[in-house]
Amino acid sequence: MSSSVASFGKHASTAEEEAYLHIQRALRLGRYKPGERLIPEDIAAEIGMSRMPVREAFRRLASEGLVVLRPNRGCIVAGLTVDELYEIFEMRSVLEGLAVRLAIPRIDEEELEELDRLLERMERAGNSGGSDWVARHQEFHGRICALSRRPKLIHQISALHAVIEPYMRIWFDYVEKPVSAREEHAAVIAALRSGDARHAELVMQDHILGTAPMLAEFVTPSR
Amino acid sequence: MSSSVASFGKHASTAEEEAYLHIQRALRLGRYKPGERLIPEDIAAEIGMSRMPVREAFRRLASEGLVVLRPNRGCIVAGLTVDELYEIFEMRSVLEGLAVRLAIPRIDEEELEELDRLLERMERAGNSGGSDWVARHQEFHGRICALSRRPKLIHQISALHAVIEPYMRIWFDYVEKPVSAREEHAAVIAALRSGDARHAELVMQDHILGTAPMLAEFVTPSR
DNA sequence: ACCTGGCTTTTTGTATCCACTTATCCAATC
DNA sequence: GATTGGATAAGTGGATACAAAAAGCCAGGT
């Protein structure tokens, strides 16, 4: 209920919204490959509507960087180059760092314990299956950002997460388990507990920037 | 030519693009007031097209935060609360700070001199008229960000600038002249010259955060 | 055999049309 | 006299239809 992160927990009240959520979800799950063309008619048929709402959804997805829209040439899934992936992580590092810094004065013990529990669930998800871990991980970062109570900041960060999510899934499927992840996330919580805003900001920045090189291995040179 | 900042220097190849640029420009210039309704038919007639491309343009503008789109209730110009204005500036501070930090290793003397000239032109624009200063100011920040050579980062920053531009114009119209502005921008250039990435990042952050309170005075409590 | 030019097919972009939601205005009732 | 209900008007969202652009294909030429 408290999570206002854009990617989660919305249900469509209009056809365009439904199309948007449908496509976004498919993209986040990696159902389409980078460079692949999204045919409006097919997607429209899939959801049971005409091409028009789908086209409008494309506009939004394009402005969030999930697809690329070229005049008269249709809609293709946006692939990331290694440089672009690093760029996303650089932006994430400062934005989520900011979120943490702003969150510090607002944090109480109850919320920290909730994060502890979330970390446990992440760990279990990592052992049991695979792609569920990614969802938990998103939730972990999303919840911390939500503590900042900055709607626009939260929205931007969420949009960046959506772009990298498919690569997170690929990464998780190839490596057996992100061993350092648990420690790093525990360190983030510890930094939040410390109450030192600047310190926590730096810890979050380091955590995010440290993840990028691992993911970069799995970027398909599809461009 | 070098500027790839999204808000500038594009011309429409498609009707939707034309509508988008037309409306964005009008919003940046403050032609519409926050809360005002944008009637698709009127705008379509204004540019000479049907409502459809205008509607698609609305989607993009909405996802950039320039308008608000509510189901069956049309498109209204997004107004900022004081909190939201501060939030934008907080985001700008870390993003433009990042851009500066990344730009440092790439800067050569020639580009610094170009910035010096731009500062001069800003000063002249500030003396002569008014709203031209805002455009120069955007160009100043845009050019520095462009040095980072991070397309997505540049795009995000540009989008944030578009949101606050109308408030910058109001602000400039009320105060006789931003006296501290020249010194602050000169300090930013000096920090770039220093070659110290972290230092330059902090100078840019302070410059941006310092501007926010002045603008906040002129936010109409329209929500 | 390869390149080039024009034709056909496919797909995109825009306009018009219809259904449904929302807002406005007036009247009736409390 | 104020408030609530309904009827009417306006406007939005979505679908279908049409025009224009691009991609693919085949034939002819070099």
Side-chain angles (χ1 to χ4, degrees):
Chain A
M1 165 157 285
S2 66
S3 166
S4 64
V5 176
S7 349
F8 296 109
K10 280 217 172 188
H11 52 107
S13 60
T14 163
E16 185 273 343
E17 184 83 9
E18 189 181 343
Y20 171 78
L21 293 172
H22 179 91
I23 303 167
Q24 201 211 37
R25 180 179 165 78
L27 289 170
R28 291 217 318 271
L29 294 176
R31 229 179 99 189
Y32 302 114
K33 301 223 180 309
E36 189 176 339
R37 284 186 52 186
L38 295 180
I39 288 96
E41 255 181 342
D42 295 355
I43 295 170
E46 213 170 300
I47 323 180
M49 63 181 66
S50 85
R51 289 164 21 201
M52 184 94 51
V54 176
R55 279 176 48 101
E56 292 181 15
F58 282 171
R59 300 283 178 199
R60 263 164 83 185
L61 294 164
S63 101
E64 287 169 17
L66 290 171
V67 301
V68 177
L69 227 46
R70 284 180 304 180
N72 291 318
R73 284 163 146 231
C75 178
I76 62 172
V77 179
L80 292 177
T81 62
V82 176
D83 285 349
E84 287 170 330
L85 187 85
Y86 272 100
E87 197 183 341
I88 301 278
F89 275 81
E90 286 164 347
M91 291 168 69
R92 270 190 64 205
S93 73
V94 295
L95 288 175
E96 294 196 36
L98 171 65
V100 166
R101 193 210 315 158
L102 296 170
I104 288 285
R106 301 171 174 273
I107 296 178
D108 58 28
E109 184 55 30
E110 196 184 340
E111 278 157 351
L112 286 168
E113 280 165 16
E114 177 62 33
L115 286 175
D116 285 330
R117 284 191 290 275
L118 198 48
L119 190 58
E120 297 283 340
R121 268 180 284 169
M122 236 170 92
E123 186 68 7
R124 282 201 298 275
N127 290 332
S128 67
S131 96
D132 202 38
W133 182 88
V134 175
R136 296 293 173 198
H137 181 254
Q138 300 271 43
E139 194 184 342
F140 181 83
H141 278 266
R143 188 171 280 270
I144 291 176
C145 292
L147 294 175
S148 72
R149 305 284 173 84
R150 300 290 199 279
K152 288 171 186 290
L153 176 62
I154 293 165
H155 184 270
Q156 290 282 6
I157 293 170
S158 166
L160 293 178
H161 273 272
V163 175
I164 56 169
E165 183 166 336
Y167 296 94
M168 295 278 285
R169 289 180 185 278
I170 296 170
W171 169 61
F172 196 97
D173 286 346
Y174 273 79
V175 299
E176 63 276 25
K177 191 182 148 186
V179 278
S180 61
R182 194 202 160 83
E183 298 151 29
E184 287 210 21
H185 290 115
V188 168
I189 297 181
L192 289 171
R193 270 211 170 77
S194 78
D196 182 340
R198 290 287 167 186
H199 169 65
E201 180 176 14
L202 289 175
V203 169
M204 179 58 97
Q205 285 189 3
D206 286 347
H207 161 55
I208 292 171
L209 288 179
T211 312
M214 295 188 282
L215 274 182
E217 304 271 334
F218 298 98
V219 173
T220 54
S222 66
R223 209 186 269 185
Chain B
M1 166 159 285
S2 66
S3 167
S4 64
V5 176
S7 350
F8 296 110
K10 281 216 168 189
H11 53 105
S13 60
T14 162
E16 186 272 342
E17 184 83 9
E18 191 182 341
Y20 171 78
L21 293 173
H22 179 91
I23 302 167
Q24 200 210 38
R25 181 180 165 77
L27 289 170
R28 290 216 319 272
L29 294 177
R31 230 181 97 191
Y32 302 113
K33 302 224 180 310
E36 189 176 340
R37 282 185 59 182
L38 295 181
I39 289 106
E41 251 178 347
D42 294 355
I43 295 170
E46 214 170 299
I47 324 179
M49 63 181 64
S50 86
R51 287 164 23 198
M52 188 85 46
V54 176
R55 281 187 37 186
E56 291 181 15
F58 282 171
R59 300 284 177 196
R60 263 164 82 184
L61 294 164
S63 102
E64 287 169 17
L66 291 172
V67 300
V68 176
L69 228 46
R70 286 180 305 178
N72 291 318
R73 285 161 145 234
C75 178
I76 62 172
V77 178
L80 291 177
T81 63
V82 176
D83 285 349
E84 287 171 330
L85 186 87
Y86 271 100
E87 196 182 343
I88 300 278
F89 274 80
E90 286 164 347
M91 291 169 70
R92 272 190 63 205
S93 74
V94 294
L95 289 175
E96 295 196 37
L98 171 65
V100 165
R101 192 209 316 157
L102 296 170
I104 288 286
R106 300 169 175 275
I107 295 178
D108 58 26
E109 185 55 30
E110 196 184 340
E111 279 158 349
L112 285 168
E113 281 164 16
E114 178 62 31
L115 286 175
D116 284 332
R117 283 191 291 275
L118 199 48
L119 191 57
E120 297 282 340
R121 267 181 286 167
M122 236 169 93
E123 186 67 8
R124 281 201 299 275
N127 290 331
S128 68
S131 98
D132 202 37
W133 182 88
V134 175
R136 297 294 175 199
H137 181 254
Q138 301 271 42
E139 194 184 343
F140 181 82
H141 278 265
R143 188 172 279 271
I144 291 176
C145 291
L147 294 175
S148 72
R149 303 286 173 81
R150 299 290 200 280
K152 288 171 186 290
L153 177 61
I154 293 166
H155 183 269
Q156 291 282 6
I157 293 170
S158 166
L160 294 179
H161 274 271
V163 176
I164 55 170
E165 184 167 333
Y167 296 94
M168 295 278 286
R169 289 180 186 278
I170 295 170
W171 170 60
F172 197 97
D173 287 346
Y174 274 79
V175 298
E176 64 275 27
K177 192 181 146 186
V179 279
S180 61
R182 195 202 158 83
E183 297 152 29
E184 287 211 20
H185 290 115
V188 168
I189 298 182
L192 289 171
R193 270 212 171 78
S194 77
D196 183 340
R198 289 286 167 188
H199 169 65
E201 180 176 12
L202 290 176
V203 168
M204 180 57 97
Q205 285 188 4
D206 287 346
H207 162 54
I208 291 171
L209 288 180
T211 311
M214 294 188 281
L215 274 182
E217 304 271 335
F218 297 98
V219 172
T220 54
S222 67
R223 208 187 269 183

